[in-house]
PDB file of all heavy atoms in Angstrom:
ATOM      1  N   ILE A   1       2.810  13.894  10.187  1.00 83.00           N
ATOM      2  CA  ILE A   1       1.852  13.507   9.092  1.00 83.00           C
ATOM      3  C   ILE A   1       1.721  12.010   9.013  1.00 83.00           C
ATOM      4  O   ILE A   1       2.538  11.197   9.474  1.00 83.00           O
ATOM      5  CB  ILE A   1       2.398  14.005   7.714  1.00 83.00           C
ATOM      6  CG1 ILE A   1       3.806  13.389   7.416  1.00 83.00           C
ATOM      7  CG2 ILE A   1       2.475  15.486   7.628  1.00 83.00           C
ATOM      8  CD1 ILE A   1       4.170  13.436   5.926  1.00 83.00           C
ATOM      9  N   LEU A   2       0.545  11.581   8.482  1.00 84.00           N
ATOM     10  CA  LEU A   2       0.307  10.175   8.213  1.00 84.00           C
ATOM     11  C   LEU A   2      -0.493  10.183   6.907  1.00 84.00           C
ATOM     12  O   LEU A   2      -1.615  10.718   6.768  1.00 84.00           O
ATOM     13  CB  LEU A   2      -0.541   9.490   9.309  1.00 84.00           C
ATOM     14  CG  LEU A   2      -0.933   8.056   9.088  1.00 84.00           C
ATOM     15  CD1 LEU A   2       0.361   7.205   8.992  1.00 84.00           C
ATOM     16  CD2 LEU A   2      -1.831   7.586  10.180  1.00 84.00           C
ATOM     17  N   VAL A   3       0.111   9.552   5.883  1.00 86.00           N
ATOM     18  CA  VAL A   3      -0.458   9.552   4.590  1.00 86.00           C
ATOM     19  C   VAL A   3      -1.065   8.176   4.415  1.00 86.00           C
ATOM     20  O   VAL A   3      -0.345   7.138   4.471  1.00 86.00           O
ATOM     21  CB  VAL A   3       0.479   9.872   3.496  1.00 86.00           C
ATOM     22  CG1 VAL A   3      -0.287   9.821   2.075  1.00 86.00           C
ATOM     23  CG2 VAL A   3       1.086  11.180   3.702  1.00 86.00           C
ATOM     24  N   ILE A   4      -2.324   8.045   4.152  1.00 86.00           N
ATOM     25  CA  ILE A   4      -2.990   6.708   4.002  1.00 86.00           C
ATOM     26  C   ILE A   4      -3.487   6.567   2.562  1.00 86.00           C
ATOM     27  O   ILE A   4      -4.192   7.424   2.012  1.00 86.00           O
ATOM     28  CB  ILE A   4      -4.248   6.557   4.933  1.00 86.00           C
ATOM     29  CG1 ILE A   4      -3.841   6.767   6.417  1.00 86.00           C
ATOM     30  CG2 ILE A   4      -4.900   5.198   4.744  1.00 86.00           C
ATOM     31  CD1 ILE A   4      -4.933   6.720   7.395  1.00 86.00           C
ATOM     32  N   GLY A   5      -2.998   5.502   1.947  1.00 86.00           N
ATOM     33  CA  GLY A   5      -3.431   5.246   0.526  1.00 86.00           C
ATOM     34  C   GLY A   5      -4.307   4.071   0.373  1.00 86.00           C
ATOM     35  O   GLY A   5      -4.174   3.114   1.151  1.00 86.00           O
ATOM     36  N   MET A   6      -5.246   4.132  -0.498  1.00 85.00           N
ATOM     37  CA  MET A   6      -6.164   3.065  -0.771  1.00 85.00           C
ATOM     38  C   MET A   6      -6.067   2.629  -2.226  1.00 85.00           C
ATOM     39  O   MET A   6      -6.075   3.478  -3.112  1.00 85.00           O
ATOM     40  CB  MET A   6      -7.606   3.497  -0.496  1.00 85.00           C
ATOM     41  CG  MET A   6      -7.888   4.256   0.780  1.00 85.00           C
ATOM     42  SD  MET A   6      -8.080   3.163   2.192  1.00 85.00           S
ATOM     43  CE  MET A   6      -8.297   4.361   3.424  1.00 85.00           C
ATOM     44  N   THR A   7      -5.969   1.370  -2.507  1.00 86.00           N
ATOM     45  CA  THR A   7      -5.942   0.856  -3.862  1.00 86.00           C
ATOM     46  C   THR A   7      -6.362  -0.530  -4.007  1.00 86.00           C
ATOM     47  O   THR A   7      -6.300  -1.326  -3.093  1.00 86.00           O
ATOM     48  CB  THR A   7      -4.384   0.983  -4.335  1.00 86.00           C
ATOM     49  OG1 THR A   7      -4.390   0.533  -5.790  1.00 86.00           O
ATOM     50  CG2 THR A   7      -3.555   0.081  -3.564  1.00 86.00           C
ATOM     51  N   ASN A   8      -6.870  -0.859  -5.218  1.00 82.00           N
ATOM     52  CA  ASN A   8      -7.243  -2.241  -5.540  1.00 82.00           C
ATOM     53  C   ASN A   8      -6.047  -2.913  -6.295  1.00 82.00           C
ATOM     54  O   ASN A   8      -6.036  -4.157  -6.466  1.00 82.00           O
ATOM     55  CB  ASN A   8      -8.402  -2.263  -6.447  1.00 82.00           C
ATOM     56  CG  ASN A   8      -9.669  -1.635  -5.852  1.00 82.00           C
ATOM     57  OD1 ASN A   8      -9.804  -1.675  -4.621  1.00 82.00           O
ATOM     58  ND2 ASN A   8     -10.390  -0.991  -6.711  1.00 82.00           N
ATOM     59  N   ARG A   9      -5.124  -2.100  -6.732  1.00 81.00           N
ATOM     60  CA  ARG A   9      -3.975  -2.613  -7.569  1.00 81.00           C
ATOM     61  C   ARG A   9      -2.651  -2.156  -7.108  1.00 81.00           C
ATOM     62  O   ARG A   9      -2.087  -1.140  -7.574  1.00 81.00           O
ATOM     63  CB  ARG A   9      -4.176  -2.228  -9.058  1.00 81.00           C
ATOM     64  CG  ARG A   9      -5.418  -2.850  -9.775  1.00 81.00           C
ATOM     65  CD  ARG A   9      -5.195  -4.388  -9.963  1.00 81.00           C
ATOM     66  NE  ARG A   9      -4.044  -4.663 -10.677  1.00 81.00           N
ATOM     67  CZ  ARG A   9      -3.939  -4.659 -12.084  1.00 81.00           C
ATOM     68  NH1 ARG A   9      -5.015  -4.339 -12.770  1.00 81.00           N
ATOM     69  NH2 ARG A   9      -2.825  -5.024 -12.688  1.00 81.00           N
ATOM     70  N   ARG A  10      -2.061  -2.796  -6.052  1.00 82.00           N
ATOM     71  CA  ARG A  10      -0.867  -2.387  -5.493  1.00 82.00           C
ATOM     72  C   ARG A  10       0.224  -2.519  -6.529  1.00 82.00           C
ATOM     73  O   ARG A  10       1.277  -1.798  -6.509  1.00 82.00           O
ATOM     74  CB  ARG A  10      -0.531  -3.225  -4.283  1.00 82.00           C
ATOM     75  CG  ARG A  10       0.717  -2.854  -3.590  1.00 82.00           C
ATOM     76  CD  ARG A  10       1.001  -3.722  -2.355  1.00 82.00           C
ATOM     77  NE  ARG A  10       1.102  -5.099  -2.709  1.00 82.00           N
ATOM     78  CZ  ARG A  10       1.706  -5.978  -1.865  1.00 82.00           C
ATOM     79  NH1 ARG A  10       2.245  -5.664  -0.706  1.00 82.00           N
ATOM     80  NH2 ARG A  10       1.748  -7.246  -2.221  1.00 82.00           N
ATOM     81  N   ASP A  11       0.129  -3.526  -7.513  1.00 78.00           N
ATOM     82  CA  ASP A  11       1.180  -3.786  -8.401  1.00 78.00           C
ATOM     83  C   ASP A  11       1.416  -2.587  -9.422  1.00 78.00           C
ATOM     84  O   ASP A  11       2.455  -2.538 -10.102  1.00 78.00           O
ATOM     85  CB  ASP A  11       0.864  -5.043  -9.226  1.00 78.00           C
ATOM     86  CG  ASP A  11      -0.503  -4.913  -9.847  1.00 78.00           C
ATOM     87  OD1 ASP A  11      -1.521  -4.885  -9.201  1.00 78.00           O
ATOM     88  OD2 ASP A  11      -0.545  -4.893 -11.145  1.00 78.00           O
ATOM     89  N   LEU A  12       0.488  -1.680  -9.541  1.00 81.00           N
ATOM     90  CA  LEU A  12       0.605  -0.566 -10.338  1.00 81.00           C
ATOM     91  C   LEU A  12       1.360   0.613  -9.805  1.00 81.00           C
ATOM     92  O   LEU A  12       1.767   1.551 -10.551  1.00 81.00           O
ATOM     93  CB  LEU A  12      -0.736  -0.095 -10.966  1.00 81.00           C
ATOM     94  CG  LEU A  12      -1.627  -1.152 -11.775  1.00 81.00           C
ATOM     95  CD1 LEU A  12      -2.957  -0.523 -12.183  1.00 81.00           C
ATOM     96  CD2 LEU A  12      -0.847  -1.558 -12.940  1.00 81.00           C
ATOM     97  N   ILE A  13       1.502   0.625  -8.517  1.00 84.00           N
ATOM     98  CA  ILE A  13       2.029   1.813  -7.848  1.00 84.00           C
ATOM     99  C   ILE A  13       3.543   1.851  -7.944  1.00 84.00           C
ATOM    100  O   ILE A  13       4.225   0.834  -7.923  1.00 84.00           O
ATOM    101  CB  ILE A  13       1.590   1.784  -6.351  1.00 84.00           C
ATOM    102  CG1 ILE A  13       0.149   1.862  -6.247  1.00 84.00           C
ATOM    103  CG2 ILE A  13       2.263   2.980  -5.600  1.00 84.00           C
ATOM    104  CD1 ILE A  13      -0.484   1.655  -4.797  1.00 84.00           C
ATOM    105  N   ASP A  14       4.080   3.057  -8.035  1.00 82.00           N
ATOM    106  CA  ASP A  14       5.548   3.176  -8.204  1.00 82.00           C
ATOM    107  C   ASP A  14       6.278   2.511  -7.080  1.00 82.00           C
ATOM    108  O   ASP A  14       5.853   2.759  -5.895  1.00 82.00           O
ATOM    109  CB  ASP A  14       5.937   4.643  -8.346  1.00 82.00           C
ATOM    110  CG  ASP A  14       7.368   4.899  -8.693  1.00 82.00           C
ATOM    111  OD1 ASP A  14       8.221   4.838  -7.787  1.00 82.00           O
ATOM    112  OD2 ASP A  14       7.556   5.044  -9.916  1.00 82.00           O
ATOM    113  N   GLU A  15       7.273   1.813  -7.291  1.00 83.00           N
ATOM    114  CA  GLU A  15       7.959   0.989  -6.294  1.00 83.00           C
ATOM    115  C   GLU A  15       8.623   1.892  -5.210  1.00 83.00           C
ATOM    116  O   GLU A  15       8.729   1.496  -4.059  1.00 83.00           O
ATOM    117  CB  GLU A  15       9.048   0.130  -6.911  1.00 83.00           C
ATOM    118  CG  GLU A  15       8.425  -0.995  -7.739  1.00 83.00           C
ATOM    119  CD  GLU A  15       9.574  -1.935  -8.339  1.00 83.00           C
ATOM    120  OE1 GLU A  15      10.725  -1.610  -8.079  1.00 83.00           O
ATOM    121  OE2 GLU A  15       9.169  -2.913  -8.957  1.00 83.00           O
ATOM    122  N   ALA A  16       9.020   3.076  -5.624  1.00 83.00           N
ATOM    123  CA  ALA A  16       9.735   3.992  -4.662  1.00 83.00           C
ATOM    124  C   ALA A  16       8.797   4.385  -3.526  1.00 83.00           C
ATOM    125  O   ALA A  16       9.248   4.694  -2.464  1.00 83.00           O
ATOM    126  CB  ALA A  16      10.276   5.206  -5.376  1.00 83.00           C
ATOM    127  N   LEU A  17       7.450   4.395  -3.773  1.00 83.00           N
ATOM    128  CA  LEU A  17       6.482   4.773  -2.769  1.00 83.00           C
ATOM    129  C   LEU A  17       6.283   3.688  -1.782  1.00 83.00           C
ATOM    130  O   LEU A  17       5.671   3.896  -0.746  1.00 83.00           O
ATOM    131  CB  LEU A  17       5.167   5.126  -3.414  1.00 83.00           C
ATOM    132  CG  LEU A  17       5.126   6.545  -4.071  1.00 83.00           C
ATOM    133  CD1 LEU A  17       3.762   6.626  -4.954  1.00 83.00           C
ATOM    134  CD2 LEU A  17       5.051   7.649  -3.082  1.00 83.00           C
ATOM    135  N   LEU A  18       6.714   2.435  -2.073  1.00 83.00           N
ATOM    136  CA  LEU A  18       6.343   1.278  -1.269  1.00 83.00           C
ATOM    137  C   LEU A  18       7.517   0.964  -0.259  1.00 83.00           C
ATOM    138  O   LEU A  18       7.439   0.008   0.508  1.00 83.00           O
ATOM    139  CB  LEU A  18       6.026   0.066  -2.113  1.00 83.00           C
ATOM    140  CG  LEU A  18       4.886   0.292  -3.069  1.00 83.00           C
ATOM    141  CD1 LEU A  18       4.646  -0.952  -3.831  1.00 83.00           C
ATOM    142  CD2 LEU A  18       3.626   0.621  -2.280  1.00 83.00           C
ATOM    143  N   ARG A  19       8.625   1.650  -0.332  1.00 81.00           N
ATOM    144  CA  ARG A  19       9.698   1.293   0.540  1.00 81.00           C
ATOM    145  C   ARG A  19       9.567   1.982   1.886  1.00 81.00           C
ATOM    146  O   ARG A  19       8.786   2.938   2.052  1.00 81.00           O
ATOM    147  CB  ARG A  19      11.054   1.727  -0.108  1.00 81.00           C
ATOM    148  CG  ARG A  19      11.359   3.213  -0.067  1.00 81.00           C
ATOM    149  CD  ARG A  19      12.884   3.476  -0.250  1.00 81.00           C
ATOM    150  NE  ARG A  19      13.231   4.837  -0.297  1.00 81.00           N
ATOM    151  CZ  ARG A  19      13.334   5.586   0.842  1.00 81.00           C
ATOM    152  NH1 ARG A  19      13.054   5.110   1.998  1.00 81.00           N
ATOM    153  NH2 ARG A  19      13.733   6.849   0.709  1.00 81.00           N
ATOM    154  N   PRO A  20      10.380   1.520   2.923  1.00 79.00           N
ATOM    155  CA  PRO A  20      10.267   2.208   4.298  1.00 79.00           C
ATOM    156  C   PRO A  20      10.543   3.644   4.197  1.00 79.00           C
ATOM    157  O   PRO A  20      11.364   4.124   3.470  1.00 79.00           O
ATOM    158  CB  PRO A  20      11.374   1.444   5.069  1.00 79.00           C
ATOM    159  CG  PRO A  20      11.447   0.065   4.345  1.00 79.00           C
ATOM    160  CD  PRO A  20      11.179   0.311   2.925  1.00 79.00           C
ATOM    161  N   GLY A  21       9.781   4.402   4.982  1.00 76.00           N
ATOM    162  CA  GLY A  21       9.812   5.835   4.950  1.00 76.00           C
ATOM    163  C   GLY A  21       8.729   6.475   4.140  1.00 76.00           C
ATOM    164  O   GLY A  21       8.386   7.643   4.323  1.00 76.00           O
ATOM    165  N   ARG A  22       8.169   5.683   3.298  1.00 82.00           N
ATOM    166  CA  ARG A  22       6.969   6.154   2.520  1.00 82.00           C
ATOM    167  C   ARG A  22       5.712   5.311   2.992  1.00 82.00           C
ATOM    168  O   ARG A  22       5.409   5.340   4.128  1.00 82.00           O
ATOM    169  CB  ARG A  22       7.203   6.053   1.082  1.00 82.00           C
ATOM    170  CG  ARG A  22       8.008   7.173   0.473  1.00 82.00           C
ATOM    171  CD  ARG A  22       9.572   6.911   0.506  1.00 82.00           C
ATOM    172  NE  ARG A  22      10.373   7.964   0.035  1.00 82.00           N
ATOM    173  CZ  ARG A  22      11.288   7.819  -0.881  1.00 82.00           C
ATOM    174  NH1 ARG A  22      11.359   6.731  -1.621  1.00 82.00           N
ATOM    175  NH2 ARG A  22      12.032   8.885  -1.197  1.00 82.00           N
ATOM    176  N   PHE A  23       5.130   4.558   2.070  1.00 85.00           N
ATOM    177  CA  PHE A  23       4.038   3.652   2.489  1.00 85.00           C
ATOM    178  C   PHE A  23       4.614   2.382   2.956  1.00 85.00           C
ATOM    179  O   PHE A  23       4.407   1.294   2.338  1.00 85.00           O
ATOM    180  CB  PHE A  23       3.115   3.423   1.265  1.00 85.00           C
ATOM    181  CG  PHE A  23       2.402   4.656   0.801  1.00 85.00           C
ATOM    182  CD1 PHE A  23       2.753   5.342  -0.354  1.00 85.00           C
ATOM    183  CD2 PHE A  23       1.300   5.030   1.563  1.00 85.00           C
ATOM    184  CE1 PHE A  23       1.999   6.429  -0.707  1.00 85.00           C
ATOM    185  CE2 PHE A  23       0.530   6.216   1.198  1.00 85.00           C
ATOM    186  CZ  PHE A  23       0.909   6.842   0.034  1.00 85.00           C
ATOM    187  N   GLU A  24       5.304   2.441   4.159  1.00 83.00           N
ATOM    188  CA  GLU A  24       5.941   1.278   4.608  1.00 83.00           C
ATOM    189  C   GLU A  24       4.944   0.290   5.320  1.00 83.00           C
ATOM    190  O   GLU A  24       5.292  -0.923   5.351  1.00 83.00           O
ATOM    191  CB  GLU A  24       6.999   1.631   5.673  1.00 83.00           C
ATOM    192  CG  GLU A  24       6.546   2.452   6.828  1.00 83.00           C
ATOM    193  CD  GLU A  24       7.684   2.920   7.695  1.00 83.00           C
ATOM    194  OE1 GLU A  24       8.230   2.068   8.413  1.00 83.00           O
ATOM    195  OE2 GLU A  24       8.134   4.073   7.626  1.00 83.00           O
ATOM    196  N   VAL A  25       3.885   0.727   5.830  1.00 84.00           N
ATOM    197  CA  VAL A  25       2.931  -0.252   6.416  1.00 84.00           C
ATOM    198  C   VAL A  25       1.899  -0.593   5.323  1.00 84.00           C
ATOM    199  O   VAL A  25       1.161   0.347   4.894  1.00 84.00           O
ATOM    200  CB  VAL A  25       2.145   0.469   7.652  1.00 84.00           C
ATOM    201  CG1 VAL A  25       1.142  -0.512   8.190  1.00 84.00           C
ATOM    202  CG2 VAL A  25       3.181   0.774   8.729  1.00 84.00           C
ATOM    203  N   GLN A  26       1.823  -1.765   4.917  1.00 85.00           N
ATOM    204  CA  GLN A  26       0.996  -2.171   3.840  1.00 85.00           C
ATOM    205  C   GLN A  26       0.117  -3.354   4.385  1.00 85.00           C
ATOM    206  O   GLN A  26       0.613  -4.406   4.745  1.00 85.00           O
ATOM    207  CB  GLN A  26       1.767  -2.676   2.626  1.00 85.00           C
ATOM    208  CG  GLN A  26       2.655  -1.587   2.077  1.00 85.00           C
ATOM    209  CD  GLN A  26       3.593  -2.124   0.994  1.00 85.00           C
ATOM    210  OE1 GLN A  26       3.336  -3.043   0.321  1.00 85.00           O
ATOM    211  NE2 GLN A  26       4.768  -1.391   0.810  1.00 85.00           N
ATOM    212  N   VAL A  27      -1.116  -3.129   4.432  1.00 82.00           N
ATOM    213  CA  VAL A  27      -2.051  -4.030   4.969  1.00 82.00           C
ATOM    214  C   VAL A  27      -3.041  -4.494   3.967  1.00 82.00           C
ATOM    215  O   VAL A  27      -3.710  -3.619   3.364  1.00 82.00           O
ATOM    216  CB  VAL A  27      -2.846  -3.426   6.213  1.00 82.00           C
ATOM    217  CG1 VAL A  27      -3.800  -4.395   6.797  1.00 82.00           C
ATOM    218  CG2 VAL A  27      -1.774  -2.901   7.247  1.00 82.00           C
ATOM    219  N   GLU A  28      -3.150  -5.789   3.771  1.00 81.00           N
ATOM    220  CA  GLU A  28      -4.134  -6.272   2.817  1.00 81.00           C
ATOM    221  C   GLU A  28      -5.539  -6.400   3.481  1.00 81.00           C
ATOM    222  O   GLU A  28      -5.623  -7.059   4.519  1.00 81.00           O
ATOM    223  CB  GLU A  28      -3.680  -7.628   2.259  1.00 81.00           C
ATOM    224  CG  GLU A  28      -4.743  -8.194   1.211  1.00 81.00           C
ATOM    225  CD  GLU A  28      -4.180  -9.450   0.523  1.00 81.00           C
ATOM    226  OE1 GLU A  28      -3.100  -9.925   0.925  1.00 81.00           O
ATOM    227  OE2 GLU A  28      -4.896  -9.944  -0.374  1.00 81.00           O
ATOM    228  N   ILE A  29      -6.527  -5.815   2.868  1.00 81.00           N
ATOM    229  CA  ILE A  29      -7.867  -5.963   3.422  1.00 81.00           C
ATOM    230  C   ILE A  29      -8.569  -7.070   2.720  1.00 81.00           C
ATOM    231  O   ILE A  29      -8.914  -6.833   1.597  1.00 81.00           O
ATOM    232  CB  ILE A  29      -8.629  -4.601   3.294  1.00 81.00           C
ATOM    233  CG1 ILE A  29      -7.869  -3.420   3.815  1.00 81.00           C
ATOM    234  CG2 ILE A  29      -9.989  -4.761   3.925  1.00 81.00           C
ATOM    235  CD1 ILE A  29      -7.603  -3.529   5.292  1.00 81.00           C
ATOM    236  N   HIS A  30      -8.672  -8.198   3.343  1.00 78.00           N
ATOM    237  CA  HIS A  30      -9.192  -9.421   2.733  1.00 78.00           C
ATOM    238  C   HIS A  30     -10.671  -9.368   2.607  1.00 78.00           C
ATOM    239  O   HIS A  30     -11.377  -8.551   3.231  1.00 78.00           O
ATOM    240  CB  HIS A  30      -8.858 -10.641   3.595  1.00 78.00           C
ATOM    241  CG  HIS A  30      -7.336 -10.881   3.703  1.00 78.00           C
ATOM    242  ND1 HIS A  30      -6.662 -11.537   2.754  1.00 78.00           N
ATOM    243  CD2 HIS A  30      -6.524 -10.646   4.714  1.00 78.00           C
ATOM    244  CE1 HIS A  30      -5.323 -11.574   3.142  1.00 78.00           C
ATOM    245  NE2 HIS A  30      -5.313 -11.096   4.343  1.00 78.00           N
ATOM    246  N   LEU A  31     -11.218 -10.288   1.865  1.00 79.00           N
ATOM    247  CA  LEU A  31     -12.598 -10.554   1.893  1.00 79.00           C
ATOM    248  C   LEU A  31     -12.916 -11.155   3.326  1.00 79.00           C
ATOM    249  O   LEU A  31     -12.124 -11.963   3.769  1.00 79.00           O
ATOM    250  CB  LEU A  31     -12.972 -11.579   0.768  1.00 79.00           C
ATOM    251  CG  LEU A  31     -12.963 -11.066  -0.656  1.00 79.00           C
ATOM    252  CD1 LEU A  31     -13.049 -12.276  -1.606  1.00 79.00           C
ATOM    253  CD2 LEU A  31     -13.948 -10.046  -0.975  1.00 79.00           C
ATOM    254  N   PRO A  32     -14.021 -10.810   3.864  1.00 81.00           N
ATOM    255  CA  PRO A  32     -14.315 -11.259   5.218  1.00 81.00           C
ATOM    256  C   PRO A  32     -14.553 -12.734   5.311  1.00 81.00           C
ATOM    257  O   PRO A  32     -15.113 -13.293   4.384  1.00 81.00           O
ATOM    258  CB  PRO A  32     -15.512 -10.524   5.629  1.00 81.00           C
ATOM    259  CG  PRO A  32     -16.197 -10.067   4.362  1.00 81.00           C
ATOM    260  CD  PRO A  32     -15.086  -9.921   3.371  1.00 81.00           C
ATOM    261  N   ASP A  33     -14.086 -13.410   6.370  1.00 80.00           N
ATOM    262  CA  ASP A  33     -14.418 -14.774   6.609  1.00 80.00           C
ATOM    263  C   ASP A  33     -15.846 -14.896   7.192  1.00 80.00           C
ATOM    264  O   ASP A  33     -16.552 -13.966   7.237  1.00 80.00           O
ATOM    265  CB  ASP A  33     -13.371 -15.437   7.481  1.00 80.00           C
ATOM    266  CG  ASP A  33     -13.237 -14.771   8.839  1.00 80.00           C
ATOM    267  OD1 ASP A  33     -14.145 -13.924   9.203  1.00 80.00           O
ATOM    268  OD2 ASP A  33     -12.307 -15.032   9.569  1.00 80.00           O
TER     269      ASP A  33
END
C-alpha cells in the first residue's frame, strides 16, 4: 500500500500520523519559481 495525503495545513494533522511508518515522506509543494 501507499497512502498519499494532501493538505494545506500540516500543523492541524495528528502528530502520530506524521512519524516514520505512517506519513513519513513529507514533501512541501512550493509556489513555483
Side-chain angles (χ1 to χ4, degrees):
I1 60 164
L2 178 63
V3 182
I4 302 176
M6 315 275 180
T7 181
N8 303 326
R9 294 290 305 274
R10 182 180 61 161
D11 55 292
L12 297 180
I13 298 172
D14 191 277
E15 291 181 359
L17 282 169
L18 302 179
R19 75 160 180 78
R22 282 90 183 237
F23 290 106
E24 59 184 283
V25 177
Q26 299 171 27
V27 180
E28 182 174 5
I29 308 299
H30 297 280
L31 292 170
D33 57 13

